[in-house]
Amino acid sequence: MKKRIMVNALLSMTLLAGCSNNTTGSFEVPFKGELSHVHGMGYPGNGDSLYFASHIGLKIYRDSEWYETADNFYDYMGFNAVGKGFYSSGHPSADSNLPNPLGIQRSADGGETLEEVAFQGETDFHAMAVGYTSHEIFLFNPTKNSLLAAGFHKSNDEGESWEPAQASGLKGEVSALALHPTDSNLVAAATSSGVYFSRDAGETFEVVTAETETGTAVHFTEDHLYFGSFGTTAALMKYTVENEELEMLNIPDLSEDAIAFIAQNPNDELELAIYTLQGQAYLSEDGSQTWETLLQDGEND
């Protein structure tokens, strides 16, 4: 019970803390040091770079080297890598002329420029999912804004129009949402009450974890839902969408820790990355059999 309370507290802290591949260009520079308050992770574009979205901008792991952006040190929240860049919410940096909060923004050039999708200056969306290929959106709106009531909503036209989602059966405080890359009927949620799965675009959800587990992370690939949970210890599971089979995957020792974000390289099904609530990051290139440490206590050196 104490461990579950600890994970819920860590999740709350994480939520509230609140693609160009040109390594020779001036927008990306070498990075070494502390990477904390990560609010999202993924592989935009061709999958050769792993992006970490933090409260002081983007950090990038590529070819065993670390980079960061030289500008646009935004506090990225609700970050989602997609096939043509990324979508995100959050807050602008102090020297930016963008309205606060960011609403929903998208970038097709690794964060060098942002394009407004919706709700700029109105809402910061912490729980937001975007289809990697479809660019359809499913989100939780924390408070009423100019268009949306509080609650769950979806858009099938990249944010041009919206409709509510009932989310019947979904229980607990939502820490993460995921949308299938191409089929937006498939939605997943990690909450304080477990991991939930929907096959009808978020109208109804069913729990896929045991009653005593907390959901910590969700991530879709074409055939699977990867999710993190915490019962008596941290776990990484692979749920097969077609037949509902569950497989427990090997993970590093995460004593008093749990998985906060999961990302699979869209061009290499064996390459999998995880980031934890305590600031550890690991990369596996053999389908979770072995893991390389990318960040230790938030440090990359």
Side-chain angles (χ1 to χ4, degrees):
M1 184 66 180
K2 289 183 179 179
K3 286 188 175 181
R4 187 175 183 188
I5 293 172
M6 177 274 294
V7 170
N8 288 338
L10 286 170
L11 281 168
S12 299
M13 290 170 63
T14 299
L15 288 171
L16 294 173
C19 304
S20 170
N21 294 325
N22 177 17
T23 60
T24 62
S26 60
F27 187 65
E28 289 185 10
V29 297
F31 167 67
K32 184 176 182 180
E34 182 182 2
L35 172 53
S36 60
H37 299 294
V38 171
H39 302 144
M41 181 180 70
Y43 292 88
N46 62 13
D48 72 344
S49 304
L50 177 60
Y51 277 60
F52 293 78
S54 79
H55 73 153
I56 52 171
L58 298 170
K59 314 298 182 186
I60 305 147
Y61 183 79
R62 179 191 305 120
D63 296 332
S64 301
E65 301 288 342
W66 281 93
Y67 304 89
E68 65 179 339
T69 61
D71 198 359
N72 297 346
F73 303 114
Y74 304 139
D75 180 7
Y76 289 104
M77 304 292 296
F79 178 87
N80 282 260
V82 297
K84 296 181 180 179
F86 66 82
Y87 284 65
S88 190
S89 190
H91 304 277
S93 56
D95 60 354
S96 171
N97 59 6
L98 288 175
N100 186 21
L102 292 174
I104 305 174
Q105 304 280 338
R106 63 184 158 210
S107 176
D109 57 8
E112 191 165 1
T113 60
L114 295 180
E115 175 190 1
E116 181 189 6
V117 175
F119 311 116
Q120 182 172 279
E122 292 190 64
T123 307
D124 174 21
F125 298 100
H126 288 200
M128 180 173 71
V130 182
Y132 191 89
T133 302
S134 70
H135 292 203
E136 296 186 13
I137 305 170
F138 189 93
L139 56 74
F140 177 74
N141 184 32
T143 58
K144 184 179 184 299
N145 59 31
S146 62
L147 187 60
L148 305 182
F152 293 93
H153 300 268
K154 52 193 173 184
S155 172
N156 61 7
D157 53 12
E158 301 184 19
E160 291 293 325
S161 62
W162 298 86
E163 57 181 286
Q166 295 303 311
S168 176
L170 186 60
K171 299 178 181 179
E173 181 181 354
V174 176
S175 56
L177 295 170
L179 200 59
H180 188 272
T182 57
D183 184 356
S184 296
N185 286 310
L186 304 179
V187 188
T191 85
S192 55
S193 296
V195 172
Y196 291 80
F197 189 85
S198 172
R199 294 181 182 269
D200 57 8
E203 293 303 304
T204 62
F205 283 86
E206 292 186 359
V207 67
V208 296
T209 48
E211 184 177 347
T212 56
E213 289 187 79
T214 297
T216 62
V218 281
H219 174 74
F220 269 110
T221 64
E222 191 65 35
D223 298 320
H224 300 100
L225 169 67
Y226 289 85
F227 67 82
S229 64
F230 190 97
T232 58
T233 188
L236 175 63
M237 307 295 294
K238 184 167 73 170
Y239 176 87
T240 302
V241 172
E242 182 178 357
N243 59 18
E244 302 183 358
E245 287 186 354
L246 268 175
E247 177 186 357
M248 179 176 286
L249 302 181
N250 177 60
I251 57 173
D253 180 17
L254 299 182
S255 178
E256 299 298 314
D257 202 356
I259 297 168
F261 300 108
I262 305 164
Q264 186 196 53
N265 189 328
N267 295 317
D268 184 352
E269 64 180 13
L270 294 180
E271 183 171 317
L272 191 67
I274 58 174
Y275 179 86
T276 79
L277 296 174
Q278 299 281 23
Q280 323 295 335
Y282 302 93
L283 179 70
S284 175
E285 296 180 331
D286 56 12
S288 82
Q289 297 304 305
T290 61
W291 294 89
E292 172 192 358
T293 301
L294 303 185
L295 294 170
Q296 188 168 11
D297 299 326
E299 296 282 344
N300 72 345
D301 53 359

